[in-house]
Amino acid sequence: MTSSPFHAKVEIRWSDMDVYQHVNHARMVTLLEEARIPWLFDGDKPTASMGRQGCVLVDLHVKYRGQLRHEDTPLDITMWIKQLRAVDFTIGYEVRANGTAPDSPPAVTATTQLAAFDIETQRLRRLTDAERDYLALWRI
């Protein structure tokens, strides 16, 4: 069992900035998605099939505690499993500017609730044992 969260480095693009020169809300949501893809949906991970065969976003909360600008790239996005249930799981996020100490307050905190989905039947499905076991490794 891992006791540490997953870290992803995600580049801020110039197009992620708004007129006030900080990361736009909609783009922040995209950056969070880009961070979780290599953790959960790439390669031979047990959860990879969810990325190809069905996973839906059920709930999203984003709190801004500080600004992030283009010069803060790449962002350090820390992720872990906050809750794990039969068909869904909730991911916690902390987003920090590049070079920021890991124990410093994050500029952004967020949660996303994702549910396993069967594209063919257009219904939620239960997580497999392998998916649950992998996600449980990251529960903090």
Side-chain angles (χ1 to χ4, degrees):
M1 181 169 151
T2 184
S3 61
S4 60
F6 185 87
H7 287 269
K9 294 285 189 179
V10 179
E11 295 287 332
I12 300 172
R13 296 167 295 265
W14 186 252
S15 60
D16 294 334
M17 310 307 290
D18 64 16
V19 71
Y20 302 109
Q21 298 184 9
H22 55 78
V23 176
N24 173 282
H25 170 71
R27 298 300 189 137
M28 178 54 67
V29 172
T30 299
L31 294 168
L32 295 175
E33 179 182 30
E34 290 175 12
R36 74 177 170 259
I37 287 171
W39 175 36
L40 298 176
F41 304 130
D42 277 353
D44 60 355
K45 296 171 183 75
T47 51
S49 64
M50 291 173 60
R52 293 183 293 274
Q53 298 171 4
C55 185
V56 292
L57 181 70
V58 177
D59 191 42
L60 166 72
H61 294 271
V62 182
K63 291 184 182 180
Y64 297 92
R65 303 181 184 287
Q67 293 187 43
L68 291 169
R69 299 175 174 270
H70 192 264
E71 59 265 19
D72 295 326
T73 200
L75 298 175
D76 180 20
I77 302 180
T78 304
M79 298 167 285
W80 65 95
I81 300 299
K82 290 184 70 155
Q83 184 176 38
L84 181 57
R85 301 187 313 176
V87 299
D88 63 24
F89 56 98
T90 302
I91 301 171
Y93 303 82
E94 291 183 347
V95 182
R96 291 178 177 81
N98 185 41
T100 304
D103 59 348
S104 66
V108 175
T109 58
T111 60
T112 56
Q113 181 185 7
L114 301 173
F117 190 76
D118 184 320
I119 292 174
E120 289 183 23
T121 63
Q122 291 294 297
R123 299 182 64 145
L124 296 177
R125 66 165 178 83
R126 295 181 78 80
L127 293 165
T128 66
D129 289 343
E131 290 167 340
R132 286 184 56 77
D133 291 346
Y134 180 73
L135 294 168
L137 291 173
W138 301 97
R139 192 163 187 186
I140 296 177

